Every structure is written in structure tokens, then in C-alpha cells.
Amino acid sequence: MMNLDALKAIPIAKVAASLEIRLPSNGRGRCPLPGHEDRNPSFALRFSTNSFRCFSCGRRGSVIDLVMEMEGRDFAGACRWLRERFGRSEPDESRHTDRFVASRASKSNVPAARNVAPASNLSPDPEVYGWLLDKAPLQDNGREYLRFRGFSDATISAFRIGQLGNRTSTLREACRVFGDARLRRCGLVVDGRFGPRLIFPSGYLLFPFLDLECVLYLQGRRADNGLEFRWVCPKDLPPPAYNLDILAGSSASILICEGVTDVLSAAELGKDALGLLGADSRLDPGIIPKLRQRNVIVIGDADKAGERFSRALVNLLGAYGVTAISRPPPSGASDLNAYLKIRRGETT
Ligand SMILES: [Zn+2]
């Protein structure tokens, strides 16, 4: 049984990782404590004193206090939480740490080898993506956020939007089913400061890129209005077009827009749309023939990047014999989702 001193000595970086607190390696960043919406980074982990402090909301203390704050537990409950995670497998734990430190040290000696997983080693894995999506049913707060963006339940379920539950336990289960190597190959697992982690944080919405039943790609998004880490994608894998399913249909008119949110907005407005991620994304030549004989309308965002996106795409399609026209978002809106919200405001 660990006594109080032993509990307080558990490295705060490990405890923070277990609590899924995301901070840069210097331990400083926006306050993760519940009830504090920190606009400026005012939170710090103090590795030397094994403590934390927020200069804005004023909360501070030991690893036990951190668990009490994050998990809403009393003192005894926080101690139990720490013992459950760090108490039993101590010998194992420390061996693991040594290995982790060693591998970090060797990596820093060869900086060129870091972060440059050759793209050719990575490939999409629809089976893994589909499994993850099945394990991630939409939660109430995710649905609420999507409704706030103007999306109906019918659209939400047609696009099979999911939401990750607990990142750590989902990763553990995924590793049991598929193994670490396969999860890395499809870009879902990367090495974080505290070891391997799923790229999607807990509670993130998951947007599947479907081709019939097949999940070709997953994009994650925060389920609130926060600006940090808004979108998360599998590392180093170029995204396919979003909503490829519409090309199987006979729709005479197809919109091409920037990203997932605009496609959902178009669907909400009764239009079939294809989404390309990032204003400089390319269009897979394989799908261009499927655009022939249709009216193709490119709607980029109402900004410089959006104009470039539209112009480049119209030219590219033209080179393949597909006539497309470019239009700004209607009614002076900044993008299709903004337009959807204008429309919603008119009708309610
Ligand atoms: Zn704070």
C-alpha cells in the first residue's frame, strides 16, 4: 500500500497524462481544470516540486489535489484513484519508464529520424477506422454542439457522426484487437510525450469519410467552440474527398466545397456536396469522370484562400473536360455553414 508521501511523489507528468491533460513538454499551457475557460495560457506543471499551479483561477497543489480537481473527488477518493493506477505494478512501471527515457534520449541524438515517418509506410485501414467508429457513439454534448451548428438529427445520423469516449481505454482495447503496429500504420497512434496515444482526444467528434459502407478516413473535431486543436486527422495521410457516396447517385448538380462542415450544411440545404479538406487539397483524378454530365459548382469560403481554392479547382476540372463554375457563398455569408445559420434564423 502506498503511503501519502509515496502518492505525492508520483511524477506529476504521469498523473497529468493519466488525466488526459494535454500540455506542451514544458508543462505550461491553458488551464485544464474544470470550470476555468482559460483564454491565455496560465497553467503550469512544476516538475521540480511535483506540483501544479494556475495563475488565473488560483488553484494549486500536489498530484492528489490535481486528481481531486480533475475528477471531482474528495481527498480519500483521489488517493484511491492514484493507488489504483500507480500503486500495484510499481516494478513494471519503473522499468517501463526507464525504457521510455532511454528511447527518448536516443531519439534526440538523431533528430532527423523524428517525425518523418515516410508517408509510404502509412495507409488507410477501413477495418480499423470502422471498428473505432462503432466504438464511438455520439454523446449528448456532441449532438448538442452539432445542432447548434444547424444540423438536424437526420443529417447527423446519415453521415454517421460519432464521438470518442475515453481515449485511453479505447486505445487499450484497440491495441488488444489490432496490435500497436497496425494502429500506427493507419495513422491513429503516435508517440506523445507520455508514450503512445490515440490521435483523437477524449470526447472528440469523429467524421467518417464513407464510400458506401467503407470508412476510408476519419477526421476528428472538438465538440465545442474552443479554438485549440479544432480538427485532428490521421498523421501524414492525405484525406480523400468527403461524401464520395453522392457520386454513386444520379444527382444532376453537385457542389464542391471546403471541408466537412460545409458538406453537412449543403446536405441540410438539400444539396449534394463533395468536400475537399484544406484549400490547397487536390482532387483524386479517379473521381473526375464521375463528375462529367453534371453541373459542378465550386463554393469556396469567402476569403482569399477560398478564392484560390475555387479558381484552381475550376481550372483543374476544365483540364479534364468537366465544366465547373465558381460561386461565392450565398447572401454574403463567409461559408455555407454561416449561410445555413442565416437561413435558420429566417425560418425560426
Ligand atoms: Zn485555472
Side-chain angles (χ1 to χ4, degrees):
M1 192 71 143
M2 296 173 92
N3 64 23
L4 217 48
D5 286 340
L7 287 176
K8 285 186 179 169
I10 300 168
I12 197 157
K14 283 176 145 191
V15 175
S18 274
L19 291 165
E20 308 209 315
I21 295 174
R22 291 163 63 93
L23 289 170
S25 57
N26 64 9
R28 291 166 178 277
R30 292 188 190 190
C31 179
L33 302 177
H36 181 200
E37 280 221 10
D38 198 8
R39 294 190 181 277
N40 297 301
S42 43
F43 182 88
L45 296 178
R46 295 266 174 78
F47 303 119
S48 55
T49 54
N50 213 45
S51 62
F52 73 95
R53 178 168 186 186
C54 176
F55 294 93
S56 177
C57 69
R59 282 175 281 186
R60 59 197 294 180
S62 67
V63 293
I64 298 172
D65 298 304
L66 187 59
V67 174
M68 287 169 68
E69 291 289 349
M70 291 296 292
E71 295 283 295
R73 289 178 177 238
D74 62 11
F75 185 83
C79 291
R80 208 161 44 240
W81 189 97
L82 285 165
R83 280 195 192 100
E84 278 162 12
R85 279 159 189 78
F86 300 96
R88 258 184 302 166
S89 57
E90 257 189 311
D92 250 339
E93 224 15 77
S94 60
R95 230 183 357 175
H96 186 78
T97 308
D98 289 342
R99 209 168 42 234
F100 179 47
V101 169
S103 79
R104 279 177 60 84
S106 68
K107 266 181 187 162
S108 63
N109 289 337
V110 277
R114 269 202 98 173
N115 298 333
V116 277
S120 58
N121 280 351
L122 292 173
S123 58
D125 194 329
E127 191 190 349
V128 176
Y129 298 160
W131 179 91
L132 184 62
L133 189 65
D134 286 342
K135 293 281 168 192
L138 190 61
Q139 298 153 37
D140 287 345
N141 70 322
R143 185 175 298 278
E144 214 168 285
Y145 172 75
L146 291 165
R147 283 177 178 158
F148 162 79
R149 296 298 298 263
F151 307 134
S152 63
D153 287 344
T155 298
I156 292 169
S157 70
F159 284 84
R160 292 179 56 195
I161 302 168
Q163 188 174 10
L164 190 65
N166 182 283
R167 179 193 226 172
T168 310
S169 59
T170 306
L171 173 60
R172 211 175 296 130
E173 199 181 347
C175 271
R176 266 201 305 275
V177 178
F178 298 106
D180 177 78
R182 187 164 169 194
L183 298 175
R184 284 173 191 272
R185 266 201 307 278
C186 66
L188 286 186
V189 168
V190 295
D191 283 317
R193 175 168 154 76
F194 306 112
R197 61 176 170 81
L198 202 59
I199 55 163
F200 303 118
S202 300
Y204 265 47
L205 296 169
L206 297 179
F207 296 92
F209 287 49
L210 301 166
D211 193 358
L212 301 173
E213 289 300 293
C214 194
V215 183
L216 297 181
Y217 189 81
L218 281 173
Q219 193 180 29
R221 195 203 189 284
R222 284 181 73 121
D224 61 30
N225 288 316
L227 295 178
E228 241 183 346
F229 305 112
R230 253 195 301 182
W231 293 96
V232 177
C233 294
K235 205 173 158 0
D236 296 329
L237 270 179
Y242 182 65
N243 201 22
L244 279 170
D245 277 353
I246 52 153
L247 296 178
S250 56
S251 181
S253 195
I254 286 184
L255 304 184
I256 300 183
C257 44
E258 292 185 58
V260 167
T261 311
D262 278 357
V263 171
L264 297 172
S265 306
E268 213 48 68
L269 294 160
K271 308 280 184 198
D272 282 334
L274 208 56
L276 299 184
L277 262 58
D280 58 358
S281 55
R282 305 137 305 144
L283 190 59
D284 176 3
I287 68 177
I288 290 174
K290 296 183 185 157
L291 292 171
R292 292 204 179 102
Q293 318 297 331
R294 310 200 205 221
N295 301 314
V296 178
I297 302 154
V298 181
I299 301 187
D301 294 350
D303 57 22
K304 283 269 175 282
E307 284 163 27
R308 270 200 306 278
F309 166 85
S310 302
R311 205 173 328 123
L313 202 52
V314 168
N315 289 340
L316 174 73
L317 289 168
Y320 284 91
V322 176
T323 306
I325 58 166
S326 149
R327 284 213 202 120
S331 303
S334 56
D335 59 26
L336 277 182
N337 190 238
Y339 174 65
L340 174 64
K341 289 183 119 179
I342 293 170
R343 287 278 301 266
R344 287 278 195 270
E346 282 168 3
T347 53
T348 54

